[in-house]
Amino acid sequence: MNILILGAGYAGMTAVAAVARRTRGENVRVTLVNPSTRFTERLRLHQVATGQELADLRIPEMLKGTGVEFVQGRVTAIDAGARRVTLADGRSLEYDKLVCALGSLADTGMVPGVAEHAVTLNSADQAARLTSRLVAGATVVVGGGGLTGIEAAAEIAEQHPSVRVVLLSRGELGAMMGAKARTYLLAGLDRLGVEVRTGVSVTEVMPEAVELDGGELVAADAVLWTTGVKVSPLPAEAGLEVDGRGRIVVDAALRSVSHPEIYAIGDAAAIRQKYGMIHGTCQSGIPTGTHAAASLAREVRGKEPRPFRFRYVHQPVSLGRRDAVIQFTHADDTPARFYLKGKWAVFYKETVSSSPWKEFAILKRWAQLPLSLKGGRATRMA
């Protein structure tokens, strides 16, 4: 059996390590396709944007000992009928089972001027474009008040205190948190000197300003765009059933409802649980990768895959390198009673950001994590 995995983000790398270990000794060939040989730590791209250097994680090195074949290339088409994918250089790869882990990017087409004049955190190279603009006296506008925008604004303000940081958001910051955690978050941004403006919409990004709904101009030497998400159009173009956002609609086992030989994980999948649709995060992406691997291993052995169950645990938010707030949650991601702040939250957040590679090492050896959060309780992996 040929198992082909597209995308080496958190979900894809988790899936490839787990499926390789689970199918060792079987007549299975596992291939991973990704445009770059370097792994992108998306959880840390706001650090890259401020000039901090990250570890140089190389995918071929990380795959050593797994038996997985790594193919560097950009996928340009999926032929679901022929079970084949085409790469930008003309190569084609056939599969018996496909795992789509193509992830998501900030949508630069939502607002005029974003693609031409704004910086995104879509990759380390793009994030690094902001660094040269963080000079004394400059104004940086961060568009988007989600967790990515909050972390980026705080990081810039802490690392470059002579830079004016303006954070623009349609909604209230931290609205998904409990009152105490949200109050701490807002106080942290205020302490760092971040100017927060809520209830505003950007209608255009210009070379030296952003225009707000109503015509007001906010001067900007640089704009960091963190709002809006788009997924790869390839599954829709291949004829797979997708939702209104282009995500692959999956069954309870994470298989495409229209093409069950294809699994979709992470941001590429529209995954429904009893409490509603999962939203794309590293927190949910890694469990989808381990579950897809377990399901594929069951299919290799002639068994039916089991349903995927997932519960949220936390909303971790860094406020620079020296402060953070962690809101613990119920299964459906609504705020629970408890939260962490200050130095303990910093330790917790750093542990979370560093955990994928400890987990990857575990998966290479044991094929499963010690615990998986499922259905409101901790249980062993399927």
Side-chain angles (χ1 to χ4, degrees), residues 120-145:
T120 70
L121 300 181
N122 284 342
S123 69
D125 289 341
Q126 291 184 46
R129 290 172 49 205
L130 185 68
T131 305
S132 63
R133 306 187 195 183
L134 301 179
V135 297
T139 295
V140 176
V141 169
V142 178

Side-chain angles (χ1 to χ4, degrees), residues 9 24 39 53 89 160 178 180 211 214 228 238 256 283 335 337 352:
R24 186 170 295 177
F39 177 79
E53 291 188 9
D89 60 8
H160 300 272
K180 291 182 179 179
E211 182 181 60
S256 163
Q283 182 181 177
R337 177 181 177 184
V352 168

Side-chain angles (χ1 to χ4, degrees), residues 150 173-174 177 180-189 317 319 325:
I150 291 169
L173 300 190
M177 294 181 159
K180 291 182 179 179
R182 181 173 178 273
T183 297
Y184 189 85
L185 182 149
L186 294 175
L189 291 174
V317 186
L319 297 170
V325 58

Side-chain angles (χ1 to χ4, degrees), residues 7-10 13 32-42 44-45 48 52-62 70-73 122-125 128 357:
Y10 292 108
M13 288 296 286
L32 174 65
V33 180
N34 197 65
S36 172
T37 61
R38 182 172 181 175
F39 177 79
T40 299
E41 290 188 273
R42 292 186 67 88
R44 297 187 185 276
L45 287 182
V48 175
Q52 299 172 58
E53 291 188 9
L54 304 184
D56 187 10
L57 300 172
R58 294 291 166 176
I59 295 169
E61 289 293 318
M62 296 166 70
F70 176 69
V71 175
Q72 184 179 1
N122 284 342
S123 69
D125 289 341
W357 310 123

Side-chain angles (χ1 to χ4, degrees), residues 193-210:
V194 176
E195 300 176 32
V196 175
R197 294 189 60 180
T198 58
V200 298
S201 296
V202 176
T203 57
E204 185 175 359
V205 176
M206 304 173 181
E208 297 180 348
V210 297

Side-chain angles (χ1 to χ4, degrees), residues 109-282:
M110 294 175 56
V111 174
V114 171
E116 295 81 6
H117 306 302
V119 176
T120 70
L121 300 181
N122 284 342
S123 69
D125 289 341
Q126 291 184 46
R129 290 172 49 205
L130 185 68
T131 305
S132 63
R133 306 187 195 183
L134 301 179
V135 297
T139 295
V140 176
V141 169
V142 178
L147 299 188
T148 301
I150 291 169
E151 290 193 325
E155 199 77 33
I156 295 167
E158 182 188 77
Q159 296 292 321
H160 300 272
S162 62
V163 171
R164 178 190 176 210
V165 182
V166 181
L167 178 57
L168 305 178
S169 177
R170 287 195 187 100
E172 293 298 318
L173 300 190
M176 68 293 185
M177 294 181 159
K180 291 182 179 179
R182 181 173 178 273
T183 297
Y184 189 85
L185 182 149
L186 294 175
L189 291 174
D190 184 64
R191 174 182 55 78
L192 290 168
V194 176
E195 300 176 32
V196 175
R197 294 189 60 180
T198 58
V200 298
S201 296
V202 176
T203 57
E204 185 175 359
V205 176
M206 304 173 181
E208 297 180 348
V210 297
E211 182 181 60
L212 304 182
D213 188 20
E216 179 186 352
L217 295 180
V218 179
D221 297 291
V223 176
L224 178 61
W225 195 256
T226 68
T227 189
V229 174
K230 66 177 180 180
V231 298
S232 170
L234 296 180
E237 293 170 357
L240 276 67
E241 184 172 336
V242 299
D243 70 357
R245 294 173 53 186
R247 299 176 299 182
I248 300 170
V249 179
V250 297
D251 65 12
L254 304 184
R255 296 172 297 189
S256 163
V257 296
S258 61
H259 296 75
E261 72 278 4
I262 297 177
Y263 283 80
I265 59 177
D267 293 357
I271 304 169
R272 184 169 293 279
Q273 300 285 278
K274 289 182 178 180
Y275 51 77
M277 195 70 73
I278 289 178
H279 57 83
T281 63
C282 176

